[in-house]
Amino acid sequence: MAPVALPISPEIRDTIQPKKDSLGLPETARKRLEKAGIDLSNGYPYRPAKPLYLDDVYKIRNYDRPYVDPGSRADSEKKALLTAAKKVIHLTAHIGTEIVGLQLKDLTDQQKDELGLLIAERSVVFFRDQDISPQEQKRLGEWYGEIEIHPQVPSVPGVPGTTVIWPALQATEFPASFRQTGGASRWHTDLVHENQPAGMTHLHNDTIPTIGGDTLWASGYAAYEKLSPAFRKIIDGKQAVYRSAHAYLDRNDPTAGPKFIERIHPLVRVHPATGWKALWVNRAMTVRIVGLDKAESDLILGYLYDVYEKNVDIQVRFRWTPGTSALWDNRITIHNASWDYEGNEPRHGTRVTALAEKPFFDEKAPTRRQALGLAGPDDI
């Protein structure tokens, strides 16, 4: 379970100023930010005042908006992107591809669309040795949807929507240890509580520990395909309650204590660019299945979490190097950042997340293996 971020009083909130850099910004991060013209004189990162009440946060982006997935516009062969690369490396059979020899900031519009389709097919795509500023990272993210500007997490000063991923900073609020690991060291996917949750996330890590700090991703397409056809019928069309990572007070009942934002989405969703079904649950933020008793819901969700988390053949574990970007699709994955370095060396990066469509289910949609002609007799 994620630590609960408790709200603060309006009196304190109104007096909050960005904190001076007391941790010591890693030198590789500092050089990247200064090269980008980021003003660090008022402290780093920028920390917005945390909203206090649940209803205020519910109102953020609480509306439907049109969305067209860029991958749906792409050439299915992705020639503009793949022929421009020096090398294309598929890291596992089911998930994860590394592109060598391209700079993300220089992609053409056609290549951006094709990258969107590649991410939709391979779930996560990696680019090493990237020379990209937070501003350029945000501009690229805008191609894939509205950028999420979080109401309370730290961001790069002057560049709203570029979240700072710095486990040492998080540890100042939620101390970590070997037994209670820090950072994002749990299986999850981002922003499931949104009316239209996250699509593509781009994490650029400029600073990485010498040993450790890997990130793992698991495929929602393959997790769904691991289920028997009979079991798929049990969960197809079912909905679940998904909650926020942060908690807030109920304005009408503040003494009840912190509460989470909750929204209802399908357990199995269809990706608009590929048309394939994917299991969409995560242990950190899926609360319960709508219409089932708690015991029934807990039993089914526990099994689904295990399918996602324990089948290593549908996962990829990526070893970062400084200056690497990972772009993944939250609609079809869960991920987990290893904290095996235990904070002994710095890890720092910036993240941009584009919001996508409202999740939907289509009974007639195929699985990935069915669409690619890989399904065996027990898959149908």
Side-chain angles (χ1 to χ4, degrees):
M1 181 66 67
V4 175
L6 295 177
I8 59 176
S9 70
E11 293 79 8
I12 297 175
R13 180 186 60 190
D14 293 341
T15 62
I16 283 183
Q17 299 295 327
K19 294 183 179 180
K20 292 292 183 181
D21 177 12
S22 58
L23 282 176
L25 189 59
E27 190 60 26
T28 48
R30 182 179 295 278
K31 288 181 178 179
R32 174 179 173 237
L33 296 170
E34 289 178 343
K35 179 181 178 182
I38 302 299
D39 183 4
L40 303 177
S41 63
N42 290 319
Y44 180 88
Y46 168 73
R47 301 170 185 246
K50 297 180 180 179
L52 184 62
Y53 292 115
L54 195 67
D55 60 322
D56 290 334
V57 184
Y58 260 116
K59 293 174 184 176
I60 300 173
R61 295 181 292 271
N62 189 32
Y63 52 86
D64 294 345
R65 57 191 179 279
Y67 178 79
V68 176
D69 193 290
S72 65
R73 304 188 294 251
D75 168 19
S76 61
E77 297 183 8
K78 302 175 284 292
K79 292 179 181 178
L81 178 72
L82 300 182
T83 59
K86 290 182 180 179
K87 189 180 292 186
V88 178
I89 307 167
H90 295 312
L91 302 180
T92 78
H94 304 296
I95 179 172
T97 295
E98 183 174 342
I99 301 290
V100 180
L102 291 179
Q103 288 293 320
L104 285 165
K105 66 180 182 181
D106 297 329
L107 295 182
T108 66
D109 291 353
Q110 183 179 357
Q111 288 173 326
K112 292 175 191 175
D113 283 353
E114 293 178 3
L115 175 58
L117 180 56
L118 181 63
I119 296 169
E121 292 173 346
R122 297 292 300 166
S123 299
V124 56
V125 179
F126 306 98
F127 295 78
R128 297 187 191 272
D129 302 317
Q130 293 299 296
D131 178 15
I132 190 167
S133 68
Q135 299 93 323
E136 291 165 333
Q137 186 180 0
K138 181 179 179 180
R139 282 196 291 273
L140 175 63
E142 289 170 339
W143 188 261
Y144 298 98
E146 178 182 338
I147 299 303
E148 183 262 352
I149 299 176
H150 200 284
Q152 70 175 61
V153 300
S155 63
V156 175
V159 193
T162 51
T163 299
V164 171
I165 305 300
W166 191 6
L169 179 69
Q170 184 178 350
T172 63
E173 188 173 358
F174 303 112
S177 67
F178 175 75
R179 294 183 59 246
Q180 299 292 329
T181 53
S185 187
R186 55 185 178 135
W187 285 108
H188 67 287
T189 196
D190 298 332
L191 304 172
V192 295
H193 67 283
E194 291 273 349
N195 182 55
Q196 293 182 218
M200 189 277 294
T201 287
H202 174 188
L203 173 60
H204 178 85
N205 272 326
D206 49 52
T207 308
I208 287 296
T210 306
I211 299 174
D214 298 356
T215 303
L216 298 86
W217 285 264
S219 166
Y221 295 141
Y224 181 75
E225 292 161 344
K226 287 284 187 181
L227 305 174
S228 69
F231 194 86
R232 294 174 201 165
K233 291 179 181 179
I234 295 173
I235 63 171
D236 279 356
K238 290 287 192 297
Q239 294 183 312
V241 176
Y242 298 80
R243 73 162 178 83
S244 59
H246 300 90
Y248 308 90
L249 292 182
D250 184 339
R251 188 188 303 272
N252 298 318
D253 188 12
T255 60
K259 295 182 179 180
F260 295 97
I261 298 172
E262 293 186 347
R263 283 198 171 89
I264 295 175
H265 297 303
L267 268 177
V268 179
R269 65 186 297 179
V270 175
H271 195 290
T274 62
W276 305 338
K277 290 178 181 175
L279 181 63
W280 199 57
V281 298
N282 73 91
R283 192 180 298 272
M285 297 166 198
T286 307
V287 180
R288 62 187 179 278
I289 299 174
V290 175
L292 298 186
D293 291 344
K294 184 179 186 303
E296 297 167 338
S297 175
D298 289 350
L299 189 67
I300 293 174
L301 286 177
Y303 173 67
L304 296 177
Y305 300 149
D306 285 348
V307 169
Y308 233 143
E309 298 171 3
K310 294 183 178 181
N311 282 288
V312 297
D313 60 321
I314 65 171
Q315 299 173 6
V316 62
R317 179 170 183 144
F318 185 73
R319 171 63 185 150
W320 296 89
T321 49
T324 297
S325 286
L327 296 91
W328 70 89
D329 198 317
N330 290 281
R331 295 168 287 187
I332 52 175
T333 59
I334 57 175
H335 59 280
N336 190 338
S338 173
W339 200 70
D340 53 344
Y341 59 100
E342 298 184 45
N344 292 323
E345 293 184 78
R347 189 181 194 270
H348 177 279
T350 53
R351 184 188 70 193
V352 170
T353 295
L355 301 172
E357 78 283 355
K358 181 175 286 190
F360 68 94
F361 173 75
D362 181 355
E363 185 178 2
K364 297 179 181 178
T367 67
R368 172 179 171 272
R369 294 175 67 82
Q370 288 169 346
L372 298 179
L374 302 174
D378 60 343
D379 291 325
I380 302 173

